[in-house]
Amino acid sequence: MESLRNNVPQNRQKTLKAVLFDMDNTLFDFVAVKLIACREILSYLGEGNRNLKKDPAELFRYFLRGTYGFEDYENIKDYMQERKLFTEQAYRQCCEIYDREKLQNLELYPGVRDTLEELKKLGLRLVIITDADRHHAHARLTRVGLLDSFEFLVSADMTGTKKPDPAHFRFALDALGLEPEESLVVGDSIKRDMAPARRLGLKTAYASYGDWRPTEETEQCFDFQLNTFQDLMGYIGTLNNTHIQTD
């Protein structure tokens, strides 16, 4: 890769003051816990149906259809109804299992906590930008002990839209009182995080370690690639040597 300094356009050489983090699959592997939750739902449903295929990927695919939101319970209802397994009681139980297992099995990627502490020591302001709603975002951050690590969070129910709509990024910049060139976005999706952030003029760090989606993007629409979360400190360090002020 070319030197990082050469990859950053000259009109973006401003003091870095904030880092905006996507949450799911950037701080922790959210797909892994969703698959665990799907497995436990099927285990519960299979107690009364020995013929039920207990493949968590089969239920997980319902969440990928785009019919509802990525976390909407209606995906579970559709799965149950199409297999003639639906009752109100069983449905409520499946929703409870889903929420419980997602939270209980959350684990931070290696180095996340220490890296965030180092960034705060540099005087950087840290923010969450997520398509989850506030309730779920608070619950997850509380579960992994990071709720107090961020100045605030921007969620889908606060902006009324989801990424790649740029509303999340604009909301955060307005709240921080910063220009795009003064902030860095860290996220696992090229389409939903990197591309819209870069179009607005923010610096971008692509968390490739968390990108579980096949991508058709061919253009490198990010400034730096993170193979692990800890790589972020190397990128910040490079920026620090050139144009970060930490007073």
Side-chain angles (χ1 to χ4, degrees):
M1 180 177 286
E2 298 174 6
S3 72
L4 297 176
R5 191 168 187 173
N6 291 336
N7 281 345
V8 181
Q10 291 301 308
N11 63 356
R12 300 171 79 188
Q13 299 294 319
K14 282 194 175 184
T15 300
L16 185 66
K17 297 180 179 178
V19 185
L20 316 181
F21 289 93
D22 174 56
M23 184 177 66
D24 298 336
N25 302 305
T26 297
L27 302 180
F28 41 71
D29 189 340
F30 191 60
V31 169
V33 299
K34 280 181 71 74
L35 284 168
I36 290 172
C38 289
R39 181 193 68 199
E40 294 304 312
I41 288 172
L42 297 186
S43 179
Y44 165 75
L45 293 174
E47 291 176 1
N49 185 346
R50 293 183 179 180
N51 295 321
L52 181 68
K53 183 180 179 182
K54 298 181 181 180
D55 178 4
E58 187 174 86
L59 174 54
F60 181 71
R61 282 193 289 272
Y62 276 68
F63 290 90
L64 301 179
R65 298 172 302 167
T67 306
Y68 313 109
F70 187 54
E71 295 185 66
D72 200 301
Y73 298 139
E74 292 294 316
N75 295 297
I76 300 172
K77 178 182 284 188
D78 282 358
Y79 176 89
M80 295 176 69
Q81 288 179 331
E82 289 178 15
R83 287 157 182 77
K84 304 188 185 311
L85 298 171
F86 182 84
T87 67
E88 286 293 343
Q89 181 178 354
Y91 174 58
R92 287 196 300 270
Q93 184 63 31
C94 287
C95 293
E96 290 176 8
I97 292 171
Y98 177 68
D99 282 339
R100 181 185 70 237
E101 295 298 326
K102 280 192 306 179
L103 274 183
Q104 286 185 350
N105 291 284
L106 276 180
E107 293 185 6
L108 293 173
Y109 287 120
V112 168
R113 197 181 310 279
D114 291 342
T115 300
L116 293 178
E117 287 301 315
E118 290 300 314
L119 294 179
K120 288 196 288 186
K121 288 177 182 177
L122 290 174
L124 294 168
R125 303 170 71 181
L126 310 183
V127 175
I128 289 288
I129 48 171
T130 178
D131 281 344
D133 61 33
R134 276 173 289 185
H135 170 73
H136 286 115
H138 274 268
R140 286 173 209 161
L141 292 172
T142 299
R143 172 65 183 174
V144 296
L146 290 184
L147 187 60
D148 295 333
S149 296
F150 300 95
E151 188 169 330
F152 62 89
L153 67 87
V154 182
S155 58
D157 53 321
M158 295 170 66
T159 65
T161 187
K162 294 186 177 183
K163 299 177 284 184
D165 189 292
H168 279 46
F169 307 105
R170 288 179 175 144
F171 188 106
L173 292 173
D174 288 345
L176 291 167
L178 298 179
E179 296 297 321
E181 298 84 359
E182 297 173 309
S183 298
L184 166 69
V185 170
V186 181
D188 66 290
S189 173
I190 290 179
K191 179 180 179 180
R192 302 174 67 81
D193 298 313
M194 299 295 95
R198 216 176 194 216
R199 282 195 293 269
L200 287 177
L202 290 94
K203 300 176 180 67
T204 51
Y206 169 48
S208 63
Y209 58 84
D211 191 353
W212 55 276
R213 315 165 195 79
T215 177
E216 296 179 355
E217 298 284 347
T218 57
E219 180 183 357
Q220 179 179 304
C221 53
F222 51 86
D223 298 311
F224 187 74
Q225 179 170 324
L226 308 177
N227 296 315
T228 68
F229 192 86
Q230 297 100 312
D231 289 347
L232 182 59
M233 286 308 300
Y235 181 40
I236 296 290
T238 302
L239 293 173
N240 188 44
N241 290 334
T242 56
H243 58 278
I244 287 182
Q245 296 176 2
T246 59
D247 53 335

